[in-house]
Every structure is written in C-alpha cells, then in structure tokens.
Amino acid sequence: MALLEVKNLEKTYYNDKVATPALRGVSFSINQGDFAAIMGPSGSGKSTLLHVLGFLDEQTAGEYRFDEKTIDDYSKKEIAKVRNKKFGFIFQSFNLLARTTVLENVKLPLLYSDVLESKWNDIAKKAIEDVGLTPRTNYEASQLSGGEKQRVAIARALVNDPLVIFADEPTGNLDSKSGRVVMEIIKRLSAEHGKTVILITHDADAAFLSNRVIQMKDGQIEKDSL
C-alpha cells in the first residue's frame, strides 16, 4: 500500500488577483522504502510539490494522502507532530546554527519530541556516527566544510527516526566530491535503513542513484521511470 499518494494535485499562487499555477494535475504514489528523484528545470513545480508532500504548504485542489490520511484528517497539532516525527528535511542551504556545535545542531528536533532528554545525546551521537562525523561532534558548524555541514543536516534529519526523508537539492552548494559523499549516505539510508527518500535535484548523477525518476515540466509530470 502506498505511503504517499497524490491525485490530480494542483497548487496555484495568487498575487494581485493574478493566478500562477505551480502544480497542474499531478498524480503518483510512493511506497515505503522507495527512493524517488524528482527532476525538472527551475519553475517546473518540483519544490512546490515537496512542500506539499512535507506538510509545509497545502494544495489548492486534488488530494494528498500520507499514511492513508489526508491533510484534512490531521489537526494543526498533529500536522506539526508528523513533520517532526515522521518527516526529516535536508535543504540545500543546510539551515544549521553557525555558532552551535554539531551535537547541539543534531539534537534540535528532539526538543519537540516525546523522547526523554536523558537519551538525546546518545541518539544524536549515533546519527552523527551514521554520517561519519564523530570526530567533528564538538566542532561549531561554522568550522565545517560544505560537505560536512550537509552531513550534519542529514544526521539532524535522522534523529527522530522518520519514515520519509525529503532532500531538496542536497548537493546544490557542494563540489562534486562532497556531493558524491552526501548522495552515497542518502542512498544508504534507503538501501540499508529502509527510509523512504524523496529527492529534489537538478543533478542527473544524483538522480541516477535513485530507484525512480519523476521528470516534471510546467507543473506536470512529463515522465515517470516507474
């Protein structure tokens, strides 16, 4: 059964009564453990789609079901809990606190969890170990390279053991070598840990590591390799 499913999804932005469609009749489903890459040129709707799937925005029309429930089935409190517990986010700009240690950055999502505070350090250190950054645990984020910062962001996305990892252009600010390291970690999360990964990327090499490529253009699915 599908973990995420969208049917005839539409998203339209309005500015001074001018309508700009970002998504136009998008339909697909993703199962638990899938690694799907969503590709397309700027303005194709791929980031808008990720925001809807990640409960960061709402569609204008159509249906989105996550774990067999639509967004209307969740209260605002439940939506926030799903985002924190079941979703992990990795962004191009890392979104780390520069003057805060790697450990403290990775622990941040646990502040809003039901996990006992006494367990936070151990959970965060395990996530840091999983991305190969144990020697940098007590470094400030400002002392890290771009590739290391993105690995910290991945560790932070892992601490609540989410069902889904949303990665929005995770290699966009990295050199090719650092980008390969980051993508290998993301691939391993899917292959070895059973995480569902939804990757937004312009990078064909990054998309090649996925099990499925969804090509978007002008707010619609142009091609789906499934």
Side-chain angles (χ1 to χ4, degrees):
M1 187 171 292
L3 179 62
L4 302 93
E5 184 176 15
V6 295
K7 293 180 180 178
N8 299 315
L9 199 70
E10 297 185 11
K11 177 65 181 180
T12 302
Y13 295 101
Y14 294 91
N15 186 15
D16 294 331
K17 298 183 180 179
V18 176
T20 304
L23 297 174
R24 301 188 295 166
V26 173
S27 298
F28 65 89
S29 61
I30 293 178
N31 295 324
Q32 176 66 40
D34 283 354
F35 181 1
I38 301 174
M39 297 190 70
S42 296
S44 62
K46 57 189 186 299
S47 288
T48 298
L49 178 58
L50 180 141
H51 287 167
V52 172
L53 296 179
F55 285 173
L56 300 172
D57 200 356
E58 291 188 41
Q59 70 268 27
T60 306
E63 184 177 84
Y64 168 37
R65 301 186 74 86
F66 170 72
D67 206 14
E68 301 184 25
K69 296 170 69 175
T70 71
I71 193 169
D72 293 330
D73 295 326
Y74 295 97
S75 67
K76 288 186 177 179
K77 185 175 181 180
E78 287 172 332
I79 287 172
K81 190 169 184 178
V82 168
R83 277 199 304 258
N84 186 57
K85 175 62 181 174
K86 296 189 177 182
F87 295 162
F89 295 93
I90 305 166
F91 296 104
Q92 179 176 346
S93 56
F94 317 132
N95 292 351
L96 302 180
L97 301 177
R99 293 296 179 184
T100 304
T101 67
V102 168
L103 180 62
E104 294 302 318
N105 267 288
V106 173
K107 281 164 56 175
L108 279 175
L110 296 171
L111 295 174
Y112 308 99
S113 73
D114 298 326
V115 178
L116 292 175
E117 187 173 354
S118 60
K119 297 182 178 180
W120 291 359
N121 276 353
D122 288 343
I123 292 171
K125 286 178 180 178
K126 177 61 169 63
I128 293 167
E129 179 184 356
D130 285 343
V131 299
L133 280 182
T134 297
R136 299 286 191 267
T137 299
N138 295 312
Y139 280 47
E140 290 186 354
S142 60
Q143 296 175 288
L144 305 179
S145 68
E148 288 172 336
K149 289 177 181 177
Q150 195 58 288
R151 287 154 67 186
V152 174
I154 294 172
R156 183 183 56 193
L158 289 176
V159 289
N160 277 329
D161 193 24
L163 286 174
V164 185
I165 298 288
F166 293 103
D168 193 359
E169 298 284 5
T171 62
N173 284 334
L174 306 179
D175 59 58
S176 58
K177 181 179 179 181
S178 297
R180 283 195 299 272
V181 171
V182 164
M183 285 308 306
E184 285 167 3
I185 292 171
I186 292 174
K187 174 70 174 178
R188 177 162 50 83
L189 292 177
S190 175
E192 297 180 11
H193 296 267
K195 300 298 180 187
T196 303
V197 177
I198 299 176
L199 168 71
I200 303 293
T201 186
H202 283 94
D203 186 348
D205 289 338
F208 180 76
L209 293 175
S210 71
N211 304 119
R212 176 183 182 186
V213 178
I214 298 171
Q215 293 274 1
M216 294 191 68
K217 184 178 181 180
D218 298 330
Q220 297 176 302
I221 293 179
E222 188 176 46
K223 184 178 180 181
D224 188 339
S225 67
L226 186 65

